[in-house]
Amino acid sequence: MARIGVVGAGYVGLTTAACFARLGHTVVCADVDEAKVSALSRAEVGAHEPRLAELVADGLASGRLRFVLGNRPALSGVDFVFVCVPTPTGPDGEADLSFVHAVLEEAREEVGPDCVIVIKSTVPAGTTERVAAVVDQPVVSNPEFLREGHAVDDFLRPQRVVVGAPGPRDGGARDAAVRVAELYEGTGAPAIVTDSASAEMVKYASNCFLAMRLSYVNSLAELCERVGADISDVTEGMSLDDRIGSAFLEPGPGWGGSCFPKDTSALLSTADAVGVDFSLLRATIGTNRRQAERVVGLVRDAVGPLRGARLALLGLTFKAGTDDLRDSPALAVAELLAAEGAVLTGFDPCVARDCGPVRVTGSAEAAAEAADGVVVLTEWPEFAELDWSDLAAAMPGRVIVDTRNLLPADKVAEAGFR
Ligand code: UDX
Ligand code: UDX
């Protein structure tokens, strides 16, 4: 078993630290956020990730996991350092690597000569190669494929482990990459050891392909509405072709979260920087940007002029199963509706505070009180179980715009809604 340092205790770093401890390694997890470090040391986990709090508590109890303040204590006395700090979108759409570079600067001084530095943060192809040129210790790329709401499962039962080493195929970094792949042996997943640019590209290529698939199905849904086809039956028909499959074929208010918007923008920025016209990716992003306006158009067509219209938004997070509001399409729609003068209430099982222009209530019924219309924006399963006759009694309006095709249309119609 290995001694592992993890820098950054966010969704990615905390999951990495807790799961490596679960796999039997000894882990020290660092963060610069003092409140976060003290909460985690008491096994108080903020993220809404199933099983994560339990794994953190187990790790603390077994002594295999501990949390420290500041990056440095996770950089010495360890065999591997996993860099899990943010790579947000920069001003021109490129990936901002300032946090990664700052950690690597510290690592150069603190990390032992045999320690392997592992970049787990999502970084543009070529980053590890460039970093390896200025850092003496071996540096490898090991991208994460964690979905929010499924992070622990995706780490402990990954579909693949990808590790990339800069430089020649028989170089020292390649041995380091093999050692990193061995850390995941407890998961039983297939491992790909390749060069670092390819490893970095797998992450962007996968996320951008999924985003492209969603922009395709969102445009297809718009076309189906115009020609009188039913998108649910169309996607079911598509999914029976095992080359297409059924995942990621649900139309919605657009794709969001802390990864797709950042990764599509960063890959397009990389393509532009090297003179490749990745028009399919540009169109994927453009289609997604227009999706919020398309939803507002549907609402306006359904309830009439938006100025003064009272609308109840069901779902505010970027998808069901998480509390994450980062780049949530629901909030993009809310901002546009409010800009046209709509008065917004909202309910989301994982959101307790008011969000932007939305006055957040404690239940769907409370949000729908006195509303002219309801807009379903996040696919929380409980919304499909609501008592629509109760809602009809509380609402003057009889309009529902379901951007996730979640609700039982017959029951909703029986309660008098359109
Ligand atoms: C983010 C990106 O979303 C993901 O694509 C990338 O691969 C890793 O970084 P996430 O865990 O969601 O993943 O970030 P976030 O939840 O914002 O947490 C980052 C943590 O790093 C924060 O707690 C921050 O305090 C901490 N941090 C940041 C450090 O500990 N040290 C630093 O130098 C910078
Ligand atoms: C994604 C990737 O799935 C994961 O592998 C990667 O490591 C990080 O980014 P995540 O950002 O948690 O994970 O969200 P995901 O579950 O992929 O959903 C992304 C967006 O697509 C969400 O806004 C979601 O609502 C939307 N979506 C997803 C749809 O609109 N329809 C679908 O059928 C599936």
Side-chain angles (χ1 to χ4, degrees), residues 10-381:
Y11 282 96
V12 175
L14 182 59
T15 302
T16 299
C19 291
F20 269 142
R22 180 83 177 75
L23 291 173
H25 302 297
T26 301
V27 184
V28 51
C29 182
D31 202 294
V32 293
D33 178 335
E34 189 163 5
K36 186 175 277 195
V37 172
S38 57
L40 289 171
S41 302
R42 297 192 302 273
E44 286 169 22
V45 172
H48 185 84
E49 285 294 341
R51 291 185 58 206
L52 187 54
E54 170 201 329
L55 287 184
V56 167
D58 292 353
L60 289 169
S62 69
R64 274 204 291 273
L65 174 62
R66 65 188 172 89
F67 295 96
V68 293
L69 177 61
N71 302 336
R72 286 180 190 278
L75 302 176
S76 50
V78 291
D79 308 307
F80 301 87
V81 170
F82 280 77
V83 180
C84 301
V85 294
T87 51
T89 302
D92 307 325
E94 84 291 355
D96 169 3
L97 302 181
S98 55
F99 290 125
V100 172
H101 287 310
V103 172
L104 289 167
E105 269 313 300
E106 294 181 86
R108 281 179 56 185
E109 296 148 26
E110 299 279 335
V111 160
D114 302 329
C115 177
V116 181
I117 297 172
V118 186
I119 298 182
K120 186 162 275 293
S121 295
T122 306
V123 295
T127 302
T128 303
E129 193 89 37
R130 282 190 289 277
V131 162
V134 295
V135 170
D136 305 334
Q137 300 86 348
V139 189
V140 301
S141 161
N142 174 217
E144 48 89 9
F145 302 105
L146 307 179
R147 287 168 299 158
E148 288 193 20
H150 305 263
V152 170
D153 213 32
D154 286 348
F155 194 102
L156 292 177
R157 295 184 327 142
Q159 296 186 46
R160 77 286 211 200
V161 172
V162 174
V163 190
R169 285 186 176 275
D170 57 355
R174 185 58 65 105
D175 301 340
V178 170
R179 282 168 51 205
V180 170
E182 285 164 357
L183 295 174
Y184 294 88
E185 265 169 4
T187 67
I192 296 174
V193 177
T194 179
D195 63 276
S196 51
S198 302
E200 289 155 340
M201 186 55 86
V202 166
K203 166 77 177 187
Y204 283 106
S206 302
N207 268 8
C208 294
F209 183 80
L210 292 169
M212 184 178 71
R213 184 173 167 115
L214 291 176
S215 282
Y216 173 79
V217 89
N218 285 334
S219 293
L220 189 66
E222 180 175 13
L223 181 58
C224 286
E225 274 163 20
R226 299 289 170 81
V227 301
D230 181 328
I231 185 64
S232 300
D233 290 350
V234 170
T235 51
E236 184 186 355
M238 291 169 69
S239 70
L240 298 174
D241 178 332
D242 58 19
R243 294 168 303 175
I244 298 175
S246 57
F248 272 70
L249 277 187
E250 301 291 332
W255 37 264
S258 73
C259 287
F260 279 15
K262 142 174 96 65
D263 294 352
T264 48
S265 168
L267 187 62
L268 186 60
S269 184
T270 298
D272 289 344
V274 295
V276 169
D277 174 17
F278 205 150
S279 54
L280 205 50
L281 180 54
R282 199 184 309 279
T284 293
I285 296 167
T287 298
N288 197 54
R289 281 223 182 90
R290 284 192 301 280
Q291 199 63 5
E293 287 144 28
R294 198 161 93 66
V295 169
V296 170
L298 288 171
V299 176
R300 195 186 301 109
D301 294 348
V303 302
L306 292 175
R307 178 154 306 288
R310 306 174 67 84
L311 297 170
L313 309 185
L314 296 188
L316 298 169
T317 53
F318 83 93
K319 66 172 180 175
T322 179
D323 59 352
D324 203 343
L325 293 163
R326 289 182 287 187
D327 266 307
S328 169
L331 296 186
V333 168
E335 295 293 341
L336 291 177
L337 289 170
E340 292 199 29
V343 177
L344 305 176
T345 54
F347 170 65
D348 185 299
C350 271
V351 176
R353 297 179 317 282
D354 287 356
C355 274
V358 183
R359 180 171 62 79
V360 171
T361 63
S363 70
E365 290 73 12
E369 189 80 31
D372 301 310
V374 167
V375 187
V376 176
L377 291 163
T378 306
E379 71 288 8
W380 289 101

